[in-house]
Amino acid sequence: MTSTLDAPVSAAATRPLPKRRRQRNGPLIALLLGPSVVLITLFIVLPAVYSIYLSLTNTQLTGFAARDPQFVGLDNFAYLLTNGDFLNSLGQTATFTFFSAIIGQTVLGMVAAILLSRPWLRGKGLFGAAVLMPMIVPEVVASLAWASVLSNNSEGTLNRLTGLFGADPTDWLQVVPLTSIIIVNIWRGVAFAMIMFQAALEDVPAELIEAARIDGASALQVFRHVTLPLIRGPVFLYLLLTTISTVGVFGLVYFLTQGGPGGQTRIAAIYIYERALQFSQIGIGSAASIILLVIVLILGIVYVRLAKVEV
Amino acid sequence: MATVTAPTVPTGASRKPPKPRRRPLSTLDKVQRTLGYVLIGLLAIFCLVPFAWVVLSAVDANAGPNVQLPAPSFENFIQFFTNRGTPLLLVNSLIISVTATAINLALGLAGGYALARFRFRGRRAFMFGILLIRVVPAPATIVALYLIMVNIGLSNSLIGLIIVEAAFQLPVTLWLLAGTISAVPIELEEAAWMDGNSRLQAIWRIVLPLVGPGLGAAAMLSFMNVWGDFLTPLVLLQSTELYPLSIGLFRAFSEYNQVDWGLLAASAIVYLVPPAVLYIFVRKHLLRSSLGGAVKG
C-alpha cells in the first residue's frame, strides 16, 4: 500500500486523462454523480425554471390572488418595463456596478497589485493582509463596520475626518446613499481585483519591462504600452466576473440602507426581495428575477467562451 | 480551471534585453518609491479603518455607536457567551456551516470522481453547466426557491437550509475536486485494483489521501460561503431560535432604540474569527487557484 502512496504526484498534472473506459460504468456513475445532480437540479435549476413560470402568473403570497393564481402572459414584463421604479432600479444597479466594480475595484486593485509586485516594496505581507481583510469578513460584519463609519452622528468616523477640514457633520446614507454604498462595495472588492491582477502580472516577462525601461520609457509608459496590452485578456475576464458578482450583491446594501432613502439605493436584488417577499407580489418579483437572470447569463456565456475553459 | 492565454508579445520588444544593471537610485526613482509607499499606505488605511469601531467596541465596557477609546474589558464577550439567545446564534451557525460543508464535500468528492475518471455522454455539458450556474445571482432565484421550500415543507427548518446551502456550494466543489482528482494518476488506482482492492476501496485508500489540498480548499470555500450567507437564511428562516449569527446581528442592529453596541461588536468579532482563521490557513492555495473568485460573495 505504502509503496503506491510514495509514488511522485508532481508529474501527474501533465498526464493525459485515460480515454478508454466507457464500458458499463453507467450505474457507478449514476451512484457517484446522481446525488449532486439531484441537489443542483432541485435547488438551483428548478428555482430558475420555476421563476419563469411564476413570472407569467399573478401569484401572490397573501390576499385575493393567493388562492387562485392566474396565467397573465407577459403582463408582468410589460408592467416592469414601463414601471419607473423598476427602470430606476436597473439604472441604479448599472451605476452601482459601473462605479464600484468596473471603475473603483479595478483601479484600486490594479494599483495594489502593481505596488505589491515591486521588488523594492517592504512589508508586502502586511499591506497584502490589510487589503484582504475587507474580503474575508462576512458581509454582515462589513456592513456593520461601515455603519459606524457612515454614522450620521457628529462622532461618526467619516464625520470626524471631514470635521478636521471644518465640514459640518453629514448623514451620509441619507444625503449621498448611492455614492456611499458604491464606496463600501469598492472597499469590499479591491482584494479580489488585486488577486486576479497579481496572477496576471506574474505572467508578464520581467525582461520586457526591463528592456522598455532601459530604452528610456517611464513607469507609466511601460504600464500603458507594455504591461497593459499583455494583461488585457485577464483584465477583461475579471471585468466580466466582477460585473456578474456585483449584480448579485444584496446583503451589503440591504443591511445599510434597505433600499432607501426613497428607493435611491434600491438595486435590482433589493427590488426583487421587496416586491416578492415584502409586498408578496411573487409574479412581478419573479419577472424582475428573470430579467436580471437573462442579463447575467449573457455575461456568463461570454465569460465562459472567452475564458477558453478546459473541461 | 479557467486558463487564460496571454496575447502574443508585440514584435520589436522581443529582442534580447541586456543584462539588468545595478544603478544608483535616481531622484525620479526615489520620488516614485515614496509615492508608492504613500499610495499603498493610504489603501491599507482605507481597508482597515472601518474595522476600528468593531475592534475597539468589542473590548469596551461602555461602547457606543462611535469610535472611542475603550474602557478595556471582556465584559461583552462574557455577555455573548452567557446571554440567553446569543450562544444559540453561534451554535446554529456552526451546525449549518459544518453540516452543509460535510454534505457538500461528500457529494462533491463522489461526483468529482465520476467527472474526473469517466467519459460519459453529457459530461462536457454538465461541466459547462456547473460553471455557468456560478453566475446565477442568488437574489434572482431566491423567490422561487422559497416557494419550493414552503411546498416541500422544508422552509423555516435548519435541515432545509443546510440542504440548500450544500447544494449552492456544489458547483464550485465539483469543479474543484474534478480537477484535483484528474491530477492523480489513474495508474496508482489501477495498481490498487491489481492488489485486490475494489473500486471504492481504491478511492478511499489512494485517491482520498492524495487530494488533501484540493479537498481543504473546497472545504474552506464552502464553509466560508455558508458561514457568511445572509440572504438565504433571511428568506428561509422565520423562527428566532433558528437564526444564525448573520441574521442575529442584522436583527440586533435593526433595533434602533435598544442596541447593545458592545455586545453587537463582540458578536461581530466572534462571527468573523472562523473565516479569518481558515483563510490564513489556506490562503496560499487560494491565491494560486483561479477559483479564488469563489470567495467573493
Side-chain angles (χ1 to χ4, degrees):
Chain A
M1 212 69 275
T2 43
S3 61
T4 42
L5 282 180
D6 293 337
V9 199
S10 49
T14 52
R15 211 179 290 260
L17 278 164
K19 292 197 175 88
R20 42 220 148 98
R21 53 209 74 252
R22 182 171 268 198
Q23 347 79 308
R24 53 195 159 52
N25 279 321
L28 183 57
I29 296 174
L31 180 74
L32 289 172
L33 195 54
S36 299
V37 173
V38 169
L39 279 198
I40 290 176
T41 309
L42 203 54
F43 296 112
I44 305 179
V45 179
L46 186 63
V49 176
Y50 191 36
S51 304
I52 300 177
Y53 165 76
L54 288 171
S55 71
L56 303 173
T57 69
N58 64 354
T59 306
Q60 302 232 337
L61 271 186
T62 53
F64 193 64
R67 244 158 287 156
D68 183 23
Q70 298 290 316
F71 190 77
V72 296
L74 295 176
D75 282 8
N76 290 328
F77 291 95
Y79 167 81
L80 282 176
L81 294 176
T82 53
N83 177 281
D85 275 358
F86 180 66
L87 296 178
N88 276 342
S89 145
L90 277 188
Q92 279 156 13
T93 311
T95 313
F96 178 69
T97 306
F98 182 76
F99 286 105
S100 69
I102 295 183
I103 302 289
Q105 294 173 3
T106 307
V107 171
L108 289 186
M110 186 64 86
V111 168
I114 289 177
L115 287 174
L116 290 180
S117 71
R118 297 298 93 172
W120 47 262
L121 192 86
R122 302 275 167 87
K124 285 192 175 74
L126 279 181
F127 287 126
V131 176
L132 282 171
M133 272 306 284
M135 184 180 76
I136 56 178
V137 301
E139 80 186 325
V140 170
V141 176
S143 312
L144 190 62
W146 274 92
S148 80
V149 174
L150 299 170
S151 160
N152 58 3
N153 198 296
S154 62
E155 303 282 290
T157 311
L158 186 55
N159 276 333
R160 276 199 199 157
L161 185 70
T162 54
L164 292 180
F165 302 99
D168 289 331
T170 310
D171 190 347
W172 301 99
L173 287 170
Q174 293 291 322
V175 180
V176 282
L178 195 55
T179 312
S180 298
I181 61 165
I182 284 172
I183 289 170
V184 175
N185 197 48
I186 292 175
W187 172 82
R188 187 151 167 86
V190 170
F192 178 65
M194 179 185 80
I195 290 172
M196 300 294 276
F197 294 152
Q198 274 178 329
L201 286 174
E202 271 176 21
D203 292 338
V204 176
E207 303 87 61
L208 279 185
I209 310 281
E210 191 69 26
R213 291 308 297 268
I214 283 164
D215 287 349
S218 76
L220 269 180
Q221 281 174 323
V222 172
F223 178 72
R224 169 73 190 78
H225 296 289
V226 181
T227 313
L228 203 55
L230 283 174
I231 60 172
R232 203 174 41 198
V235 168
F236 187 68
L237 288 180
Y238 159 77
L239 288 177
L240 272 173
L241 210 57
T242 189
T243 303
I244 289 165
S245 59
T246 306
V247 167
V249 168
F250 172 82
L252 205 60
V253 181
Y254 189 73
F255 189 106
L256 285 173
T257 68
Q258 308 202 7
Q264 287 183 67
T265 57
R266 199 195 282 123
I267 52 175
I270 291 180
Y271 184 90
I272 293 168
Y273 179 82
E274 249 184 19
R275 277 293 163 146
L277 298 166
Q278 289 182 329
F279 307 159
S280 83
Q281 296 169 316
I282 300 280
I284 290 177
S286 299
S289 303
I290 295 298
I291 293 173
L292 190 66
L293 207 55
V294 168
I295 296 172
V296 171
L297 279 180
I298 292 171
L299 292 172
I301 290 169
V302 174
Y303 173 77
V304 172
R305 292 265 147 179
L306 291 180
K308 301 200 181 86
V309 179
E310 295 157 9
V311 290
Chain B
M1 217 103 314
T3 49
V4 180
T5 48
T8 45
V9 175
T11 50
S14 57
R15 67 202 140 87
K16 198 101 183 101
K19 284 254 175 294
R21 294 164 295 175
R22 280 241 161 266
R23 290 169 296 171
L25 279 184
S26 67
T27 331
L28 185 66
D29 278 336
K30 277 183 193 149
V31 171
Q32 274 177 355
R33 287 182 185 194
T34 315
L35 203 65
Y37 275 109
V38 170
L39 272 179
I40 195 83
L42 283 177
L43 191 61
I45 290 171
F46 172 60
C47 287
L48 289 182
V49 158
F51 291 113
W53 176 80
V54 180
V55 174
L56 291 178
S57 303
V59 292
D60 188 349
N62 0 299
N66 299 308
V67 176
Q68 59 188 25
L69 270 185
S73 94
F74 285 103
E75 188 57 33
N76 297 319
F77 289 98
I78 295 169
Q79 247 194 51
F80 176 86
F81 286 105
T82 54
N83 250 6
R84 230 167 52 81
T86 38
L88 193 58
L89 297 174
L90 178 61
V91 172
N92 285 336
S93 271
L94 284 171
I95 292 176
I96 295 166
S97 315
V98 172
T99 324
T101 304
I103 295 175
N104 169 61
L105 285 187
L107 296 185
L109 206 55
Y113 184 84
L115 291 168
R117 286 297 190 237
F118 302 111
R119 295 281 167 273
F120 51 92
R121 276 166 64 90
R123 179 186 168 278
R124 253 180 85 83
F126 184 79
M127 290 295 276
F128 276 116
I130 57 175
L131 194 63
L132 205 53
I133 277 175
R134 283 247 299 114
V135 312
V136 172
T141 54
I142 195 74
V143 178
L145 179 69
Y146 172 68
L147 289 192
I148 290 172
M149 296 305 277
V150 169
N151 282 329
I152 60 178
L154 282 179
S155 79
N156 200 25
S157 87
L158 283 189
I159 296 176
L161 181 64
I162 287 168
I163 298 176
V164 166
E165 295 281 15
F168 279 176
Q169 304 308 321
L170 259 177
V172 174
T173 306
L174 281 172
W175 186 267
L176 199 61
L177 290 180
T180 314
I181 292 171
S182 29
V184 176
I186 183 79
E187 285 76 11
L188 291 185
E189 267 184 89
E190 282 169 343
W193 303 342
M194 294 300 172
D195 290 347
N197 287 293
S198 74
R199 186 130 207 169
L200 287 179
Q201 281 172 322
I203 295 176
W204 184 254
R205 292 183 179 157
I206 306 294
V207 181
L208 207 55
L210 290 178
V211 295
L215 205 59
M220 192 211 65
L221 282 179
S222 172
F223 181 89
M224 275 177 73
N225 286 342
V226 178
W227 183 263
D229 193 9
F230 172 70
L231 178 63
T232 322
L234 179 72
V235 173
L236 291 188
L237 300 179
Q238 283 87 42
S239 313
T240 321
E241 70 271 13
L242 299 180
Y243 284 165
L245 276 166
S246 55
I247 309 299
L249 252 75
F250 173 64
R251 296 278 182 229
F253 174 75
S254 308
E255 288 167 17
Y256 286 109
N257 300 321
Q258 41 206 342
V259 184
D260 182 340
W261 296 105
L263 181 61
L264 190 62
S267 316
I269 296 286
V270 171
Y271 184 38
L272 74 77
V273 163
V277 170
L278 266 179
Y279 192 85
I280 293 165
F281 270 119
V282 202
R283 179 174 160 197
K284 256 210 182 105
H285 200 94
L286 265 182
L287 291 178
R288 298 282 149 197
S289 144
S290 64
L291 272 163
V295 225
K296 205 188 175 194

